[in-house]
């Protein structure tokens, strides 16, 4: 385990089965990581339940921010403007009370709260959710998995830059290979967004020595032989991610080594944000907290941003404005 204190704000009310699974997951995370400190954001009585289950030394690593309002899964994302648990967790990161935040609540609300509270990086119009899958040949970074459901080609090209930087920083992948998910590998395959994005990526400067390998197919995500980063829209990425998780269940569980994707990092905002599935179980929440701590300790947000800044200073003219295709 990487050393160093990590202060993680946890949304106690986020998720279908919150707060029970969140409390259980937070307990597991605390017991597994002696340098972990948690800021519990939610009703005081729920936080007290978690604290009571810890020994005195572990209790010293817990603080509480009482909030009773939650953004429901069916609520509009803009409900995150209110003083809800997820908004309070974002505020804690912005104010420096916490280093990162984890929520299993509504994805749209979490993304909205993060954008409003933390701000976006320069030239990032739509942040991306990135998950890492344990492919046969090594980890494969998949994005977007739910942040931007109908992106333009320019957004997909920018997400390729984000994914390449994340693979280099978070997973120490040298010269990541980047592919665009489509229905075939031949040039011209796919819908109009894919056909417009492919030539953009062919000339897009990628950080970390990354290179674009062209169109890839669904099986490349799980094999990993051709590609380290797979770029797609948030709708397709989310469906693909959940289909792979279902396949793990059919096969008796995820790979013993490498870990299944239990949480996604939000790239493009000025802070470390991790989103778990709404149907997260306790071990999923614990995994999300561990991911947030890992990213903070590795300074992933700062390093990815720095790689993008370097890209911006070398060749950051927007060649894609005239080729953007509206999908809605």
């Amino acid at each position: 385990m990487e050393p160093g204190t990590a202060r993680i704000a946890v949304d106690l009310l986020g998720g279908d089965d919150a707060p029970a699974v969140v409390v259980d997951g937070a307990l597991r995370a605390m017991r597994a990581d002696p340098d972990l400190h948690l800021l519990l954001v939610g009703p005081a009585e729920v936080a007290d339940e978690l604290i009571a289950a810890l020994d005195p030394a572990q209790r010293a690593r817990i603080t509480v921010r009482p909030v009773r309002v939650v953004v429901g899964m069916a609520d509009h994302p803009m409900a995150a403007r209110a003083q809800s648990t997820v908004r309070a967790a974002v505020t804690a990161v912005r104010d420096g009370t916490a280093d990162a935040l984890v929520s299993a609540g509504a994805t749209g609300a979490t993304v909205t709260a993060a954008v409003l509270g933390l701000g976006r990086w320069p030239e990032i119009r739509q942040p991306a959710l990135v998950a890492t899958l344990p492919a046969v040949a090594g980890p494969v970074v998949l994005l977007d998995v739910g942040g931007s459901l109908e992106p333009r080609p320019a957004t997909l090209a920018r997400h390729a830059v984000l994914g390449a930087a994340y693979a280099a920083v978070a997973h120490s992948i040298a010269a990541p290979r980047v592919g665009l998910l489509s229905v075939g590998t031949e040039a011209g395959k796919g819908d109009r967004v894919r056909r417009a994005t492919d030539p953009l990526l062919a000339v897009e400067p990628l950080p970390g020595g990354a290179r674009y390998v062209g169109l890839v197919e669904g099986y490349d995500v799980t094999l990993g032989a051709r590609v380290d980063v797979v770029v797609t829209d948030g709708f397709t990425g989310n469906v693909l991610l959940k289909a792979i998780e279902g396949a793990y269940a059919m096969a008796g569980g995820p790979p013993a080594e490498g870990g299944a994707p239990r949480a996604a990092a939000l790239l493009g905002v000025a802070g470390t944000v991790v989103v778990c599935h709404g149907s997260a179980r306790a071990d999923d929440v614990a995994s999300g907290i561990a991911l947030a701590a890992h990213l903070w300790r590795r300074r992933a947000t700062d390093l990815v941003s720095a790689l993008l800044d370097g890209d911006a200073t070398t060749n950051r003219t927007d060649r894609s404005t005239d080729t953007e295709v509206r999908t809605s």
Side-chain angles (χ1 to χ4, degrees), residues 46-148:
V46 175
D48 289 344
E49 177 185 347
L50 191 156
I51 293 170
L54 297 171
D55 62 41
Q58 292 169 334
R59 292 174 190 172
R61 295 187 278 128
I62 294 285
T63 54
V64 179
R65 180 165 295 186
V67 180
R68 305 197 71 86
V69 178
V70 61
V71 180
M73 291 297 187
D75 292 339
H76 192 278
M78 293 310 291
R81 289 180 179 272
Q83 184 58 17
S84 59
T85 52
V86 68
R87 186 64 186 272
V90 167
T91 300
V93 174
R94 184 192 65 199
D95 295 345
T97 307
D99 301 318
L101 74 93
V102 174
S103 178
T107 298
T110 303
V111 173
T112 298
V115 168
L116 291 174
L118 302 175
R120 290 173 290 193
W121 290 342
E123 301 189 28
I124 300 297
R125 294 180 180 178
Q126 293 180 289
L129 282 169
V130 53
T132 303
L133 290 90
V136 174
V140 168
V141 169
L142 175 65
L143 76 164
D144 186 10
V145 295
S148 303

Side-chain angles (χ1 to χ4, degrees), residues 67-283:
V67 180
R68 305 197 71 86
V69 178
V70 61
V71 180
M73 291 297 187
D75 292 339
H76 192 278
M78 293 310 291
R81 289 180 179 272
Q83 184 58 17
S84 59
T85 52
V86 68
R87 186 64 186 272
V90 167
T91 300
V93 174
R94 184 192 65 199
D95 295 345
T97 307
D99 301 318
L101 74 93
V102 174
S103 178
T107 298
T110 303
V111 173
T112 298
V115 168
L116 291 174
L118 302 175
R120 290 173 290 193
W121 290 342
E123 301 189 28
I124 300 297
R125 294 180 180 178
Q126 293 180 289
L129 282 169
V130 53
T132 303
L133 290 90
V136 174
V140 168
V141 169
L142 175 65
L143 76 164
D144 186 10
V145 295
S148 303
L149 300 186
E150 295 182 326
R152 299 178 177 184
T155 299
L156 289 177
R158 199 60 185 153
H159 285 179
V161 175
L162 287 173
Y166 183 83
V169 169
H171 300 294
S172 301
I173 299 175
R177 301 161 298 170
V178 179
L180 177 65
L181 188 64
S182 190
V183 294
T185 60
E186 302 84 4
K189 283 294 185 75
D191 60 10
R192 57 179 183 161
V193 176
R194 251 51 55 163
R195 293 195 302 271
T197 304
D198 185 35
L200 293 181
L201 285 177
V203 297
E204 180 76 19
L206 298 175
R211 61 186 177 90
Y212 178 57
V213 301
L215 301 177
V216 297
E217 297 186 71
Y219 52 75
D220 290 309
V221 178
T222 52
L223 295 178
R226 292 187 59 225
V227 69
D228 304 300
V229 178
V230 175
V231 180
T232 189
D233 61 273
F235 181 91
T236 303
N238 189 274
V239 171
L240 175 60
L241 180 64
K242 291 175 180 176
I244 291 173
E245 291 172 344
Y248 287 154
M250 289 180 63
E257 300 296 331
R262 297 176 175 176
L266 182 64
L267 296 183
V269 297
T272 302
V273 178
V274 169
V275 179
C276 297
H277 291 306
S279 58
R281 303 180 304 275
D283 54 351

Side-chain angles (χ1 to χ4, degrees), residues 1-10 29-30 33-39 61-63 96-102 272 288-299:
M1 183 176 296
E2 295 167 313
T5 299
R7 303 170 302 163
I8 311 300
V10 179
M30 282 290 295
D33 185 346
D35 294 322
L36 182 67
H37 293 243
L38 296 184
L39 170 62
R61 295 187 278 128
I62 294 285
T63 54
T97 307
D99 301 318
L101 74 93
V102 174
T272 302
I289 294 172
L291 173 60
H294 164 73
L295 295 177
W296 169 255
R297 287 163 174 157
R298 187 162 283 204
R299 296 179 51 240

